[in-house]
Amino acid sequence: MPLKRIVIKVGSHVLTEDGAIAKVRMLSLVELTVALKRDRYEVILVSSGAVAAGFTQLPLDRSSVANKQALAAIGQPLLLKMYQEKFAMFGILCSQVLFRSDVFESKKHINHAKVAIDTLLENNVVPIINENDTVSIEELVFGDNDRLSAHVTHHFDAELLVILSDIDAFYDKDPNKYDDAKRRAVVTEISKEELEAEHSPNNDFATGGIVTKLQSAEFLMKHNREMFLASGFDLSDVKAFLVDGKHVGGTYFKRK
Ligand code: ADP
């Protein structure tokens, strides 16, 4: 059976707890990645968390973009060190791939990057992608890697993007505000109003909210790819979906 290439994106909120990197959750993500690799998947990670990791070392005011750039520079090597230690427990190498936000505007740069990603995967190495937030601030300001991970999925030829969020699915309205919000299990079409709604990030570190996730889903479905949005706090839904082929929780953005 051919390997199925997927991208897993983990948001800042999931990777952060009380202003520090949530190590237990990071370990769960690494365990999931290892289990998927042993199954039939090639896994690319897109990980936020550099600013939060930097903040553990130097508590600069995060409301300034300049400070976030500096914190990302401090935190990115720390974040990767944590991943490396955790993957090493399973005898697996991981790697750091940093992109400027405009990398996907140039065919030449996309091709160079794809060669590197393919070579890492062929050698059983997990690529861990992040935006280079010190020099290119788009995702720092808006998007929190939702958009980046959609481009990674499309241009590096993955079938599915898994977004692990602080929310366990897409609802008909914001479940943090409305008790009667209903989960949308399968989505094949997203309305213009939903795509253009105001973005609504849920905490200090998150910058995307649900809208950037919907925009990513729309982009992927248009390009004949798919997306699965599930909780990054409890990985049972994503495990059921990917390992057991069972759709229990989460939202499946399915191509028609
Ligand atoms: P992350 O950092 O995990 O990527 P965000 O905070 O950026 O997550 O986005 C998820 C948040 O979007 C949820 O916690 C929720 O408050 C908000 N949200 C707004 N509308 C919806 C909706 N219709 N369905 C799900 N979440 C929604």
Side-chain angles (χ1 to χ4, degrees):
M1 204 169 18
L3 289 174
K4 198 171 166 164
R5 185 174 290 190
I6 61 169
V7 176
I8 300 179
K9 180 255 167 181
V10 60
S12 303
H13 196 185
V14 172
L15 274 184
T16 318
E17 194 153 48
D18 300 329
I21 293 296
K23 290 187 180 155
V24 175
R25 284 206 285 272
M26 186 191 261
L27 182 60
S28 302
L29 172 69
V30 168
E31 281 169 347
L32 171 70
T33 306
V34 172
L36 292 172
K37 279 170 57 53
R38 287 189 184 135
D39 195 4
R40 72 205 120 107
Y41 292 98
E42 276 182 333
V43 184
I44 299 170
L45 291 182
V46 174
S47 177
S48 310
V51 174
F55 188 75
T56 63
Q57 304 298 301
L58 187 66
L60 297 178
D61 172 11
R62 291 184 310 250
S63 59
S64 124
V65 173
N67 283 351
K68 281 197 195 175
Q69 290 171 258
L71 289 171
I74 297 163
Q76 182 64 30
L78 211 66
L79 185 71
L80 253 288
K81 186 166 168 268
M82 289 174 172
Y83 273 117
Q84 272 176 339
E85 283 168 3
K86 291 181 175 50
F87 275 111
M89 289 161 61
F90 303 92
I92 289 185
L93 265 182
C94 63
S95 57
Q96 168 174 280
V97 183
L98 295 180
F99 289 139
R100 268 170 46 154
S101 57
D102 59 1
V103 67
F104 294 109
E105 286 161 26
S106 144
K107 274 223 158 77
K108 190 178 92 181
H109 288 146
I110 293 171
N111 289 339
H112 287 327
K114 183 159 189 300
V115 168
I117 295 289
D118 286 346
T119 307
L120 288 165
L121 291 170
E122 276 161 25
N123 286 283
N124 203 28
V125 179
V126 179
I128 302 181
I129 297 175
N130 197 1
E131 189 182 72
N132 187 343
D133 288 327
T134 303
V135 297
S136 87
I137 60 169
E138 280 76 1
E139 295 274 350
L140 261 186
V141 178
F142 181 69
D144 197 24
N145 282 343
D146 288 333
R147 194 184 348 230
L148 176 77
S149 59
H151 281 108
V152 165
T153 305
H154 173 54
H155 291 294
F156 301 155
D157 215 10
E159 291 171 42
L160 177 80
L161 168 63
V162 175
I163 292 195
L164 298 179
S165 176
D166 69 340
I167 197 77
D168 63 349
F170 172 47
Y171 288 78
D172 61 350
K173 49 192 159 188
D174 187 346
N176 285 323
K177 289 197 192 132
Y178 302 93
D179 288 342
D180 62 340
K182 287 190 186 58
R183 174 173 74 102
R184 308 218 4 220
V186 179
V187 172
T188 53
E189 227 160 338
I190 305 167
S191 73
K192 198 163 175 280
E193 296 81 68
E194 287 169 327
L195 287 170
E196 288 171 1
E198 255 183 66
H199 60 109
S200 52
N202 193 29
N203 76 105
D204 279 359
F205 291 110
T207 45
I210 199 70
V211 178
T212 49
K213 292 170 184 55
L214 296 180
Q215 289 166 348
S216 294
E218 169 79 3
F219 171 83
L220 289 170
M221 292 192 293
K222 234 200 252 158
H223 289 93
N224 213 21
R225 301 176 198 277
E226 301 189 312
M227 192 176 110
F228 186 66
L229 171 64
S231 168
F233 295 124
D234 174 353
L235 300 181
S236 55
D237 288 340
V238 69
K239 266 185 212 148
F241 189 75
L242 293 176
V243 181
D244 308 325
K246 290 196 177 113
H247 187 182
V248 185
T251 300
Y252 183 20
F253 295 89
K254 198 169 182 284
R255 63 180 162 235
K256 274 198 251 178

